[in-house]
Amino acid sequence: ADDPAAARVALDALSDAALDEPGWHAARAWLARKAGDARREEEALRGVLARRPTDGEALERLAGLLHASGRGEEAAALRRRQ
């Protein structure tokens, strides 16, 4: 359930049609979060938002990451988009 390595193996086994592009980015964000890699999680969340600009879960998670890294103004701007 919370095993990033097993999740990566499962994702690799999926066909390209199994997830849409935002779904791949969301999966990458989850893996990065579980691995404690905030930079990669941020990149993946930005990928989700590039394709689904009103994705509330991605907006809130990215805003939280930005706030935690001292980028409060950018976080507030994202929260206003919701």
Side-chain angles (χ1 to χ4, degrees):
D2 281 337
D3 184 354
R8 179 162 304 281
V9 170
L11 283 173
D12 289 343
L14 292 173
S15 70
D16 288 343
L19 289 174
D20 60 4
E21 192 170 357
W24 281 109
H25 288 286
R28 285 181 49 235
W30 181 86
L31 288 168
R33 179 173 50 247
K34 293 298 180 181
D37 190 337
R39 182 188 59 80
R40 286 193 184 194
E41 183 181 2
E42 179 181 337
E43 288 173 3
L45 289 168
R46 289 186 186 280
V48 171
L49 293 171
R51 288 146 188 91
R52 291 186 192 148
T54 59
D55 185 309
E57 186 176 329
L59 281 166
E60 187 56 36
R61 180 65 189 157
L62 180 55
L65 284 174
L66 294 171
H67 183 76
S69 69
R71 295 181 280 170
E73 288 184 25
E74 192 176 353
L78 274 178
R79 286 190 170 113
R80 285 191 295 273
R81 284 177 43 183
Q82 286 184 321

